Amino acid sequence: MLNGGIYHSHFERKSKMKKKTIIWLTISILILAITLVLASCAPAQQPAFTPAPTPASTPTPEAKVTGTVAYLEKMALPAGAIVEVKLLDISWQDVPAVTIGEHVITTSGNQVPFPFEIKYNPITIDPRYTYSVRASITVDGKLWFTTDTRYAVITQGNPSSVEIVLKKVTTSTPVATLENTTWVLQSYGQPGNLKSVLKDTEVTALFDSAKGRVVGSAGVNTYFGGYKLDDNKLIIPGPIGSTKMAGPQPLMDQETEFFKLLQAAESHQIEDSHLRINSGQQVLIFAKK
């Protein structure tokens, strides 16, 4: 009986241990299963966000139309003349031309031809469209020269460089004459490198036909002298008389140069209320007062 009881007790202990083992294994399997299920349901870990590098700014593409502006008339422009050149889109009829670019030149006594350059963005150009260059010259807000021909450029096989020849604008203004007109000096010196009259000074010339004398103001002093006129030939034999007032040195230098060129006069031309006196290789440019 004792041995049987011991055996029975040992069997119960083994049975209990086996049950505990099974329970722990079951729990472990359940925990593992739950862990796997949770892991499979969790969102995938996102990689750290790295912003894309900012691309370097791309420069705006650039192209240009170049050329020169001139006219055929043998006359000089006064120092205040303005040359304006425009690049236009003229594709549509009955619609005003669209300005794409322009180049404005203040002549400052320089003479034709005037070079120009108009830059534009080639991306804005449509090869199906028509483009042209127009130019004009104005003096004191009045139109003197303009284009009367279409100068097509850029598209449809047209060039990007043109030589523009302007046409003189005709006016109904009476033509001034050399004599009995007060002329105001605008510029003087070598053609192509003229000097403008100093600011706030007025240099004048009046050729009095009744007396055969030229009189006026040289900026500081008044002056007088005889002259001879034969068609466009003009001679001022001199010497020119004047008052003897003194002034600032720049004005006195201008006055001396004016007298020198006036006494060297050889011929003259008048165009649209402007007088040009040719004195050898130099000129005097006047405007009608």
Side-chain angles (χ1 to χ4, degrees):
M1 287 296 291
L2 180 60
N3 290 335
I6 294 171
Y7 174 80
H8 181 73
S9 175
H10 176 71
F11 178 80
E12 286 182 347
R13 286 198 300 271
K14 288 184 66 178
S15 178
K16 288 180 180 179
M17 290 178 63
K18 185 176 182 180
K19 287 181 180 179
K20 288 181 178 180
T21 301
I22 292 171
I23 291 170
W24 280 112
L25 285 173
T26 302
I27 292 172
S28 298
I29 291 171
L30 287 173
I31 291 173
L32 178 61
I34 292 171
T35 302
L36 292 174
V37 170
L38 291 175
S40 65
C41 293
Q45 184 176 2
Q46 299 294 324
F49 174 74
T50 303
T54 303
S57 59
T58 303
T60 302
E62 188 177 88
K64 59 186 177 182
V65 172
T66 61
T68 57
V69 176
Y71 53 80
L72 299 179
E73 285 75 8
K74 295 181 179 180
M75 60 176 290
L77 292 172
I82 302 294
V83 180
E84 186 176 35
V85 191
K86 291 185 177 182
L87 173 60
L88 304 170
D89 180 346
I90 58 169
S91 304
W92 310 103
Q93 294 183 354
D94 302 324
V95 175
V98 177
T99 300
I100 297 173
E102 62 181 328
H103 186 174
V104 178
I105 304 166
T106 301
T107 59
S108 301
N110 296 316
Q111 302 299 319
V112 295
F114 296 103
F116 71 87
E117 178 182 285
I118 302 175
K119 296 179 180 179
Y120 65 92
N121 185 347
I123 294 177
T124 63
I125 300 299
D126 190 320
R128 301 169 298 173
Y129 290 2
T130 305
Y131 303 89
S132 72
V133 177
R134 294 179 187 167
S136 63
I137 298 178
T138 57
V139 178
D140 297 330
K142 296 180 181 179
L143 184 63
W144 277 33
F145 293 91
T146 188
T147 46
D148 65 340
T149 302
R150 189 178 77 170
Y151 291 89
V153 292
I154 305 175
T155 59
Q156 303 173 21
N158 292 306
S160 292
S161 182
V162 290
E163 295 181 357
I164 300 174
V165 179
L166 302 182
K167 183 178 180 180
K168 187 173 178 295
V169 175
T170 58
T171 64
S172 58
T173 304
V175 177
T177 60
L178 174 69
E179 296 178 303
N180 308 318
T181 299
T182 299
W183 299 100
V184 180
L185 186 66
Q186 304 291 298
S187 56
Y188 61 95
Q190 191 75 30
N193 190 28
L194 294 175
K195 300 177 184 177
S196 297
V197 173
L198 294 174
K199 188 178 180 181
D200 298 327
T201 62
E202 185 175 72
V203 179
T204 63
L206 172 63
F207 294 86
D208 188 335
S209 62
K211 298 179 180 179
R213 290 165 64 85
V214 56
V215 297
S217 169
V220 176
N221 292 283
T222 57
Y223 69 93
F224 49 90
Y227 73 90
K228 295 180 181 180
L229 184 62
D230 183 9
D231 196 11
N232 74 319
K233 293 182 179 180
L234 175 65
I235 298 175
I236 302 174
I240 292 178
S242 70
T243 56
K244 302 300 180 182
M245 296 175 61
Q249 193 58 47
L251 291 181
M252 299 307 295
D253 292 342
Q254 175 179 270
E255 188 169 282
T256 298
E257 195 162 358
F258 170 67
F259 286 151
K260 179 181 176 182
L261 293 179
L262 195 61
Q263 290 184 142
E266 297 174 348
S267 63
H268 80 283
Q269 290 91 35
I270 296 176
E271 291 283 350
D272 283 342
S273 300
H274 280 76
L275 166 66
R276 171 183 173 136
I277 294 179
N278 302 300
S279 303
Q281 299 299 314
Q282 300 190 67
V283 297
L284 294 165
I285 305 296
F286 296 82
K288 180 182 176 182
K289 186 172 183 179

